[in-house]
Amino acid sequence: MAEVRLVDIVKKYGAFLAVPELNLTIHDGEFLVLLGPSGCGKTTTMRMIAGLEDITSGDILIKDERVNNKPPKDRDIAMVFQNYGLYPHMTVRQNIEYPLKLRGVAKADRKARVQQTAEKVELDALLDRRPSELSGGQRQRVALARSIVRTPSIFLMDEPLSNLDAKLRVTMRAELKHLHHELGVTTVYVTHDQMEAMTLATRVAVMRKGRIVQLDTPKKIYAEPADLFVAGFIGSPSMNLIDGAVKDGLFRAEGVEIPVDLGDRDGVVLGIRPEELEITADTSAAIGGKLYALELTGESTLVTLRNGLSSACARGHADFDAEINSPCFLAPKQGARIHLFDRSSGERLG
Ligand code: ATP
Protein backbone atom coordinates (compact mmCIF):
# COMPACT_ATOMS: atom_id res chain seq x y z
CA MET A 1 0.00 0.00 0.00
CA ALA A 2 1.05 3.54 -0.44
CA GLU A 3 1.00 7.14 0.60
CA VAL A 4 0.86 9.73 -2.18
CA ARG A 5 2.25 13.22 -1.73
CA LEU A 6 1.78 16.18 -4.00
CA VAL A 7 4.28 18.88 -3.11
CA ASP A 8 3.98 22.42 -4.54
CA ILE A 9 2.41 21.10 -7.71
CA VAL A 10 1.88 23.65 -10.47
CA LYS A 11 0.31 22.84 -13.81
CA LYS A 12 0.18 25.22 -16.75
CA TYR A 13 -1.29 24.58 -20.16
CA GLY A 14 0.60 27.20 -22.17
CA ALA A 15 -0.25 30.48 -20.46
CA PHE A 16 -3.27 29.00 -18.65
CA LEU A 17 -2.65 28.20 -15.01
CA ALA A 18 -4.83 25.12 -14.39
CA VAL A 19 -3.37 24.29 -10.96
CA PRO A 20 -1.71 27.24 -9.16
CA GLU A 21 -0.01 25.42 -6.28
CA LEU A 22 -1.26 22.26 -4.77
CA ASN A 23 -0.12 20.48 -1.64
CA LEU A 24 -1.86 17.29 -0.68
CA THR A 25 -0.99 14.12 1.19
CA ILE A 26 -3.15 11.09 0.52
CA HIS A 27 -2.69 8.67 3.38
CA ASP A 28 -1.98 5.00 3.05
CA GLY A 29 -5.24 3.11 2.60
CA GLU A 30 -7.33 6.25 2.40
CA PHE A 31 -10.24 6.84 0.01
CA LEU A 32 -9.66 10.43 -1.03
CA VAL A 33 -12.22 12.14 -3.24
CA LEU A 34 -11.37 15.15 -5.38
CA LEU A 35 -14.66 17.01 -5.65
CA GLY A 36 -15.50 20.17 -7.52
CA PRO A 37 -17.38 21.71 -10.42
CA SER A 38 -16.43 21.15 -14.04
CA GLY A 39 -13.05 22.62 -14.93
CA CYS A 40 -11.73 22.97 -11.36
CA GLY A 41 -8.70 20.78 -12.07
CA LYS A 42 -9.71 17.39 -10.64
CA THR A 43 -8.88 15.33 -13.69
CA THR A 44 -5.66 17.25 -14.29
CA THR A 45 -4.56 16.50 -10.72
CA MET A 46 -5.41 12.84 -11.07
CA ARG A 47 -3.65 12.55 -14.43
CA MET A 48 -0.53 14.05 -12.91
CA ILE A 49 -0.57 11.39 -10.19
CA ALA A 50 -1.02 8.76 -12.89
CA GLY A 51 1.86 10.11 -14.94
CA LEU A 52 -0.39 10.81 -17.92
CA GLU A 53 0.20 14.54 -17.62
CA ASP A 54 3.51 16.34 -17.10
CA ILE A 55 3.77 18.61 -14.10
CA THR A 56 5.07 22.13 -14.67
CA SER A 57 6.80 22.23 -11.29
CA GLY A 58 6.69 20.49 -7.94
CA ASP A 59 7.07 16.87 -6.92
CA ILE A 60 4.90 13.79 -6.76
CA LEU A 61 5.95 11.14 -4.28
CA ILE A 62 4.52 7.66 -4.08
CA LYS A 63 5.73 5.58 -1.13
CA ASP A 64 8.32 8.31 -0.46
CA GLU A 65 9.78 7.93 -3.91
CA ARG A 66 9.81 10.86 -6.36
CA VAL A 67 7.98 9.63 -9.44
CA ASN A 68 7.95 12.80 -11.57
CA ASN A 69 9.80 11.09 -14.38
CA LYS A 70 8.37 7.59 -14.03
CA PRO A 71 6.01 6.40 -16.76
CA PRO A 72 2.50 5.35 -15.65
CA LYS A 73 3.23 1.63 -15.94
CA ASP A 74 6.02 1.90 -13.36
CA ARG A 75 3.94 3.70 -10.73
CA ASP A 76 2.05 0.60 -9.53
CA ILE A 77 -1.31 2.23 -10.09
CA ALA A 78 -4.52 0.98 -11.65
CA MET A 79 -6.94 3.36 -13.29
CA VAL A 80 -10.67 3.20 -13.85
CA PHE A 81 -12.18 5.78 -16.12
CA GLN A 82 -15.66 6.85 -17.06
CA ASN A 83 -15.51 5.23 -20.49
CA TYR A 84 -14.36 1.80 -19.22
CA GLY A 85 -11.67 1.33 -21.90
CA LEU A 86 -12.49 -2.34 -22.40
CA TYR A 87 -11.16 -4.28 -25.38
CA PRO A 88 -14.26 -5.06 -27.49
CA HIS A 89 -12.79 -8.12 -29.24
CA MET A 90 -11.88 -9.80 -25.95
CA THR A 91 -14.20 -11.68 -23.62
CA VAL A 92 -14.77 -10.53 -20.07
CA ARG A 93 -12.28 -13.17 -18.93
CA GLN A 94 -9.61 -11.97 -21.36
CA ASN A 95 -10.20 -8.35 -20.44
CA ILE A 96 -9.72 -9.05 -16.75
CA GLU A 97 -6.75 -11.30 -17.42
CA TYR A 98 -4.95 -8.81 -19.63
CA PRO A 99 -2.99 -6.86 -16.97
CA LEU A 100 -1.69 -10.15 -15.55
CA LYS A 101 -0.64 -11.35 -18.99
CA LEU A 102 1.20 -8.09 -19.57
CA ARG A 103 3.18 -8.68 -16.41
CA GLY A 104 4.02 -12.26 -17.28
CA VAL A 105 1.99 -13.97 -14.54
CA ALA A 106 1.86 -17.76 -15.08
CA LYS A 107 -1.25 -19.19 -16.74
CA ALA A 108 -2.58 -21.25 -13.83
CA ASP A 109 -2.16 -18.34 -11.46
CA ARG A 110 -3.88 -16.01 -13.92
CA LYS A 111 -6.85 -18.31 -14.14
CA ALA A 112 -7.29 -18.49 -10.39
CA ARG A 113 -6.98 -14.75 -9.93
CA VAL A 114 -9.44 -13.93 -12.70
CA GLN A 115 -11.96 -16.31 -11.16
CA GLN A 116 -11.47 -14.86 -7.69
CA THR A 117 -11.77 -11.28 -8.89
CA ALA A 118 -14.81 -12.01 -11.04
CA GLU A 119 -16.56 -13.48 -8.04
CA LYS A 120 -15.76 -10.41 -6.00
CA VAL A 121 -17.63 -8.15 -8.45
CA GLU A 122 -20.22 -10.80 -9.33
CA LEU A 123 -19.15 -11.33 -12.90
CA ASP A 124 -18.32 -15.02 -12.70
CA ALA A 125 -21.40 -15.98 -14.73
CA LEU A 126 -20.48 -13.61 -17.54
CA LEU A 127 -16.84 -14.44 -18.14
CA ASP A 128 -17.32 -15.68 -21.70
CA ARG A 129 -19.31 -12.72 -22.96
CA ARG A 130 -17.90 -9.79 -24.90
CA PRO A 131 -18.36 -6.19 -23.67
CA SER A 132 -21.02 -5.53 -26.33
CA GLU A 133 -23.17 -8.21 -24.70
CA LEU A 134 -23.13 -6.50 -21.29
CA SER A 135 -25.11 -3.72 -19.63
CA GLY A 136 -23.39 -0.47 -18.66
CA GLY A 137 -23.14 -1.55 -15.05
CA GLN A 138 -21.65 -4.90 -15.97
CA ARG A 139 -19.08 -3.22 -18.21
CA GLN A 140 -18.21 -0.93 -15.37
CA ARG A 141 -17.62 -3.93 -13.16
CA VAL A 142 -15.37 -5.50 -15.78
CA ALA A 143 -13.31 -2.30 -15.82
CA LEU A 144 -13.16 -2.44 -12.05
CA ALA A 145 -12.23 -6.12 -12.02
CA ARG A 146 -9.47 -5.49 -14.52
CA SER A 147 -8.01 -2.84 -12.27
CA ILE A 148 -8.22 -4.86 -9.04
CA VAL A 149 -7.06 -8.19 -10.44
CA ARG A 150 -3.44 -7.46 -9.59
CA THR A 151 -3.94 -5.42 -6.37
CA PRO A 152 -2.00 -2.28 -7.20
CA SER A 153 -0.67 0.14 -4.58
CA ILE A 154 -3.05 2.87 -5.71
CA PHE A 155 -6.39 3.09 -7.47
CA LEU A 156 -7.15 6.15 -9.54
CA MET A 157 -10.79 6.49 -10.49
CA ASP A 158 -12.12 9.28 -12.66
CA GLU A 159 -15.92 9.53 -12.54
CA PRO A 160 -16.18 5.75 -12.88
CA LEU A 161 -19.93 5.71 -12.23
CA SER A 162 -21.04 8.58 -14.39
CA ASN A 163 -22.27 6.44 -17.29
CA LEU A 164 -24.62 4.45 -15.12
CA ASP A 165 -28.27 5.11 -14.44
CA ALA A 166 -29.22 6.54 -11.06
CA LYS A 167 -30.15 3.26 -9.42
CA LEU A 168 -27.07 1.42 -10.57
CA ARG A 169 -24.86 4.27 -9.42
CA VAL A 170 -26.11 3.79 -5.91
CA THR A 171 -25.57 0.04 -6.03
CA MET A 172 -22.09 0.42 -7.47
CA ARG A 173 -21.26 3.03 -4.88
CA ALA A 174 -21.87 0.49 -2.15
CA GLU A 175 -19.82 -2.07 -4.08
CA LEU A 176 -16.90 0.33 -4.36
CA LYS A 177 -17.10 1.12 -0.70
CA HIS A 178 -17.17 -2.53 0.26
CA LEU A 179 -14.30 -3.28 -2.07
CA HIS A 180 -12.23 -0.53 -0.51
CA HIS A 181 -12.96 -1.97 2.89
CA GLU A 182 -11.88 -5.43 1.70
CA LEU A 183 -8.73 -4.39 -0.16
CA GLY A 184 -7.69 -1.31 1.80
CA VAL A 185 -5.91 0.11 -1.24
CA THR A 186 -5.17 3.85 -1.32
CA THR A 187 -7.75 5.31 -3.67
CA VAL A 188 -8.05 8.69 -5.38
CA TYR A 189 -11.49 9.26 -6.82
CA VAL A 190 -12.62 12.18 -8.98
CA THR A 191 -16.22 13.31 -9.10
CA HIS A 192 -18.38 16.41 -9.38
CA ASP A 193 -21.19 14.58 -7.57
CA GLN A 194 -21.23 15.70 -3.95
CA MET A 195 -23.35 12.76 -2.84
CA GLU A 196 -20.83 10.33 -4.28
CA ALA A 197 -18.05 12.19 -2.51
CA MET A 198 -19.86 12.25 0.82
CA THR A 199 -20.77 8.58 0.75
CA LEU A 200 -17.45 7.17 -0.46
CA ALA A 201 -14.71 9.31 0.96
CA THR A 202 -12.51 8.97 3.98
CA ARG A 203 -11.65 12.59 3.23
CA VAL A 204 -12.89 14.98 0.58
CA ALA A 205 -10.74 17.61 -1.11
CA VAL A 206 -13.13 20.25 -2.42
CA MET A 207 -11.49 22.02 -5.36
CA ARG A 208 -12.17 25.30 -7.04
CA LYS A 209 -10.14 26.93 -9.78
CA GLY A 210 -7.23 24.57 -9.29
CA ARG A 211 -7.06 25.05 -5.54
CA ILE A 212 -8.18 22.91 -2.64
CA VAL A 213 -10.62 25.04 -0.66
CA GLN A 214 -11.31 22.45 2.01
CA LEU A 215 -9.80 19.10 2.89
CA ASP A 216 -11.74 17.27 5.58
CA THR A 217 -13.88 14.29 6.46
CA PRO A 218 -17.32 14.28 4.83
CA LYS A 219 -18.87 14.88 8.24
CA LYS A 220 -16.77 17.97 8.91
CA ILE A 221 -17.31 19.37 5.42
CA TYR A 222 -21.05 19.01 5.86
CA ALA A 223 -21.16 20.43 9.36
CA GLU A 224 -18.54 23.13 8.97
CA PRO A 225 -18.05 24.23 5.37
CA ALA A 226 -14.95 26.42 5.17
CA ASP A 227 -16.54 29.03 2.94
CA LEU A 228 -19.62 30.04 1.01
CA PHE A 229 -18.61 28.00 -2.03
CA VAL A 230 -18.35 24.75 -0.08
CA ALA A 231 -21.54 25.57 1.84
CA GLY A 232 -23.48 25.89 -1.40
CA PHE A 233 -21.85 22.91 -3.09
CA ILE A 234 -22.36 20.23 -0.46
CA GLY A 235 -25.82 18.99 0.47
CA SER A 236 -29.01 18.21 -1.40
CA PRO A 237 -31.16 20.20 -1.33
CA SER A 238 -28.53 22.89 -0.87
CA MET A 239 -28.03 24.86 2.30
CA ASN A 240 -30.30 27.91 2.46
CA LEU A 241 -28.11 30.95 1.92
CA ILE A 242 -29.75 34.25 2.78
CA ASP A 243 -28.26 37.67 2.08
CA GLY A 244 -28.60 40.21 4.86
CA ALA A 245 -26.90 42.13 7.66
CA VAL A 246 -26.33 41.78 11.38
CA LYS A 247 -27.40 44.45 13.82
CA ASP A 248 -27.73 44.22 17.60
CA GLY A 249 -27.30 40.45 17.64
CA LEU A 250 -29.94 39.85 14.97
CA PHE A 251 -29.41 38.71 11.41
CA ARG A 252 -31.95 40.52 9.23
CA ALA A 253 -33.16 40.12 5.68
CA GLU A 254 -36.61 40.64 4.16
CA GLY A 255 -38.97 38.44 6.18
CA VAL A 256 -36.07 37.01 8.16
CA GLU A 257 -34.91 37.68 11.70
CA ILE A 258 -32.56 35.25 13.41
CA PRO A 259 -30.47 35.81 16.58
CA VAL A 260 -26.77 35.30 15.87
CA ASP A 261 -23.53 35.57 17.75
CA LEU A 262 -21.82 38.21 15.62
CA GLY A 263 -21.11 41.93 15.86
CA ASP A 264 -22.81 44.51 13.64
CA ARG A 265 -21.90 43.92 10.02
CA ASP A 266 -23.28 44.42 6.51
CA GLY A 267 -22.88 41.99 3.63
CA VAL A 268 -23.47 38.83 5.63
CA VAL A 269 -24.83 35.54 4.27
CA LEU A 270 -26.60 33.31 6.73
CA GLY A 271 -26.66 29.60 5.99
CA ILE A 272 -28.95 26.95 7.43
CA ARG A 273 -29.65 23.47 6.10
CA PRO A 274 -33.21 22.48 5.14
CA GLU A 275 -33.32 19.70 7.71
CA GLU A 276 -32.54 22.17 10.48
CA LEU A 277 -35.60 24.28 9.75
CA GLU A 278 -39.08 23.42 10.90
CA ILE A 279 -42.45 24.58 9.69
CA THR A 280 -44.35 26.45 12.34
CA ALA A 281 -47.68 28.17 12.86
CA ASP A 282 -45.95 30.95 14.80
CA THR A 283 -46.35 34.07 12.65
CA SER A 284 -43.52 35.79 14.49
CA ALA A 285 -41.15 32.99 13.50
CA ALA A 286 -37.67 33.56 12.14
CA ILE A 287 -38.46 33.23 8.46
CA GLY A 288 -41.79 34.26 6.97
CA GLY A 289 -43.08 34.29 3.42
CA LYS A 290 -45.48 32.65 1.02
CA LEU A 291 -45.48 28.97 0.30
CA TYR A 292 -43.93 28.58 -3.13
CA ALA A 293 -43.63 24.83 -3.70
CA LEU A 294 -44.12 21.46 -2.05
CA GLU A 295 -42.07 18.50 -3.24
CA LEU A 296 -42.70 15.07 -1.85
CA THR A 297 -39.51 13.01 -1.89
CA GLY A 298 -41.01 9.92 -0.27
CA GLU A 299 -39.59 10.09 3.22
CA SER A 300 -40.16 13.84 3.53
CA THR A 301 -41.64 16.90 1.85
CA LEU A 302 -39.48 19.79 0.74
CA VAL A 303 -41.23 23.02 1.61
CA THR A 304 -40.06 26.14 -0.20
CA LEU A 305 -41.22 29.58 0.75
CA ARG A 306 -40.45 32.88 -0.91
CA ASN A 307 -40.30 36.38 0.34
CA GLY A 308 -39.33 39.02 -2.20
CA LEU A 309 -35.99 37.95 -3.56
CA SER A 310 -35.14 35.46 -0.88
CA SER A 311 -36.36 31.92 -0.58
CA ALA A 312 -35.87 29.17 1.96
CA CYS A 313 -36.41 25.45 1.93
CA ALA A 314 -37.24 23.19 4.85
CA ARG A 315 -37.44 19.44 5.01
CA GLY A 316 -40.83 18.73 6.53
CA HIS A 317 -42.92 15.66 7.31
CA ALA A 318 -44.00 13.58 4.34
CA ASP A 319 -47.63 14.31 5.14
CA PHE A 320 -47.26 18.08 5.40
CA ASP A 321 -49.74 19.86 3.16
CA ALA A 322 -50.82 23.49 2.64
CA GLU A 323 -52.12 25.82 -0.06
CA ILE A 324 -49.50 27.17 -2.45
CA ASN A 325 -49.20 30.97 -1.97
CA SER A 326 -50.56 30.80 1.59
CA PRO A 327 -48.48 32.40 4.38
CA CYS A 328 -45.75 30.08 5.63
CA PHE A 329 -43.33 30.31 8.55
CA LEU A 330 -40.08 28.51 9.26
CA ALA A 331 -37.92 28.49 12.34
CA PRO A 332 -34.51 26.95 13.13
CA LYS A 333 -34.95 23.78 15.15
CA GLN A 334 -33.62 23.62 18.68
CA GLY A 335 -29.82 23.52 18.48
CA ALA A 336 -29.76 24.16 14.71
CA ARG A 337 -26.39 25.07 13.28
CA ILE A 338 -26.32 28.58 11.87
CA HIS A 339 -23.48 29.41 9.46
CA LEU A 340 -22.35 32.96 8.74
CA PHE A 341 -20.24 34.05 5.78
CA ASP A 342 -18.87 37.28 4.41
CA ARG A 343 -20.77 38.10 1.23
CA SER A 344 -17.84 39.41 -0.80
CA SER A 345 -14.96 37.16 0.24
CA GLY A 346 -17.08 34.08 0.98
CA GLU A 347 -15.04 33.61 4.14
CA ARG A 348 -16.62 31.89 7.10
CA LEU A 349 -17.46 34.25 9.96
CA GLY A 350 -18.99 31.78 12.37
P1 ATP B 1 -14.51 18.04 -15.47
O1 ATP B 1 -15.33 17.67 -14.27
O2 ATP B 1 -15.28 18.87 -16.46
O3 ATP B 1 -13.77 16.91 -16.08
P2 ATP B 1 -12.08 18.88 -14.12
O4 ATP B 1 -12.23 19.49 -12.79
O5 ATP B 1 -11.63 17.48 -14.18
O6 ATP B 1 -13.40 19.10 -14.95
P3 ATP B 1 -9.73 19.46 -15.67
O7 ATP B 1 -10.03 18.54 -16.80
O8 ATP B 1 -8.71 19.06 -14.71
O9 ATP B 1 -11.06 19.83 -14.90
O10 ATP B 1 -9.34 20.88 -16.27
C1 ATP B 1 -8.89 21.96 -15.48
C2 ATP B 1 -8.70 23.18 -16.35
O11 ATP B 1 -7.62 22.98 -17.26
C3 ATP B 1 -9.91 23.51 -17.20
O12 ATP B 1 -10.09 24.91 -17.23
C4 ATP B 1 -9.55 22.99 -18.56
O13 ATP B 1 -10.19 23.73 -19.59
C5 ATP B 1 -8.05 23.15 -18.60
N1 ATP B 1 -7.42 22.10 -19.43
C6 ATP B 1 -7.49 20.78 -19.24
N2 ATP B 1 -6.76 20.11 -20.17
C7 ATP B 1 -6.23 21.05 -20.97
C8 ATP B 1 -5.35 21.02 -22.12
N3 ATP B 1 -4.90 19.86 -22.61
N4 ATP B 1 -5.02 22.19 -22.66
C9 ATP B 1 -5.45 23.37 -22.16
N5 ATP B 1 -6.25 23.48 -21.08
C10 ATP B 1 -6.64 22.33 -20.49
Side-chain angles (χ1 to χ4, degrees):
M1 281 193 276
E3 180 184 87
V4 181
R5 275 169 58 208
L6 309 185
V7 184
D8 300 335
I9 294 291
V10 176
K11 175 66 186 177
K12 288 183 189 163
Y13 290 109
F16 177 68
L17 187 57
V19 177
E21 194 183 78
L22 195 81
N23 283 286
L24 173 64
T25 299
I26 302 151
H27 304 311
D28 184 24
E30 174 169 50
F31 198 122
L32 185 113
V33 176
L34 298 173
L35 171 71
S38 180
C40 72
K42 313 178 289 288
T43 298
T44 300
T45 303
M46 173 105 119
R47 287 175 59 84
M48 289 191 285
I49 300 173
L52 297 169
E53 199 75 66
D54 288 337
I55 54 180
T56 308
S57 64
D59 287 315
I60 297 189
L61 294 100
I62 297 179
K63 294 191 227 177
D64 286 330
E65 187 194 351
R66 185 173 178 271
V67 297
N68 291 27
N69 301 316
K70 268 194 169 184
K73 67 175 177 42
D74 296 335
R75 294 190 182 193
D76 198 16
I77 50 177
M79 293 176 262
V80 188
F81 294 113
Q82 179 180 348
N83 52 7
Y84 323 132
L86 302 179
Y87 301 108
H89 59 287
M90 291 186 191
T91 61
V92 169
R93 185 191 312 279
Q94 289 164 334
N95 264 287
I96 301 176
E97 189 181 19
Y98 192 69
L100 300 177
K101 228 172 168 175
L102 267 189
R103 284 168 180 79
V105 175
K107 198 169 178 186
D109 196 12
R110 288 203 309 256
K111 199 169 173 212
R113 280 163 74 177
V114 168
Q115 185 62 35
Q116 232 177 22
T117 308
E119 280 169 20
K120 213 171 261 167
V121 294
E122 291 171 34
L123 279 173
D124 40 323
L126 305 173
L127 282 171
D128 294 318
R129 291 208 195 163
R130 287 181 203 284
S132 60
E133 299 164 323
L134 300 176
S135 73
Q138 290 163 340
R139 281 180 216 174
Q140 193 68 64
R141 276 185 277 159
V142 180
L144 203 62
R146 194 180 49 183
S147 67
I148 64 176
V149 72
R150 60 178 189 89
T151 323
S153 295
I154 303 160
F155 280 129
L156 300 178
M157 303 188 180
D158 192 350
E159 308 250 6
L161 307 185
S162 56
N163 282 345
L164 309 182
D165 66 48
K167 193 157 178 241
L168 200 53
R169 277 178 88 120
V170 175
T171 318
M172 282 299 293
R173 219 164 62 192
E175 287 191 27
L176 278 179
K177 190 140 196 191
H178 185 74
L179 207 62
H180 179 252
H181 181 262
E182 296 288 288
L183 303 175
V185 173
T186 310
T187 304
V188 187
Y189 188 104
V190 162
T191 184
H192 61 269
D193 180 332
Q194 57 93 22
M195 189 58 95
E196 223 164 271
M198 295 295 282
T199 50
L200 285 170
T202 318
R203 282 190 307 161
V204 181
V206 186
M207 292 185 71
R208 187 188 192 196
K209 295 182 182 161
R211 294 175 198 278
I212 294 178
V213 286
Q214 189 167 8
L215 172 64
D216 261 317
T217 60
K219 216 172 188 172
K220 187 90 190 283
I221 284 191
Y222 191 81
E224 246 176 85
D227 67 8
L228 200 48
F229 169 75
V230 181
F233 198 70
I234 304 281
S236 176
S238 307
M239 183 187 283
N240 294 297
L241 295 170
I242 305 168
D243 264 315
V246 176
K247 193 150 197 305
D248 301 328
L250 272 183
F251 172 89
R252 284 202 176 95
E254 198 178 339
V256 180
E257 217 172 74
I258 297 176
V260 292
D261 193 11
L262 192 74
D264 290 1
R265 193 175 175 126
D266 289 333
V268 175
V269 177
L270 178 140
I272 182 163
R273 294 205 180 275
E275 63 271 24
E276 303 207 75
L277 282 173
E278 62 189 359
I279 305 144
T280 165
D282 179 3
T283 54
S284 67
I287 305 176
K290 276 188 175 171
L291 182 59
Y292 186 73
L294 288 178
E295 297 161 88
L296 178 67
T297 65
E299 84 285 9
S300 62
T301 294
L302 301 176
V303 179
T304 304
L305 69 74
R306 282 219 174 155
N307 186 335
L309 288 178
S310 52
S311 71
C313 174
R315 197 183 276 284
H317 285 296
D319 53 9
F320 175 79
D321 202 12
E323 288 287 317
I324 299 299
N325 290 326
S326 64
C328 181
F329 301 92
L330 305 176
K333 288 183 182 167
Q334 189 84 33
R337 197 184 286 265
I338 307 279
H339 309 264
L340 298 165
F341 304 97
D342 180 77
R343 169 79 268 165
S344 48
S345 70
E347 191 186 322
R348 185 179 185 89
L349 302 170

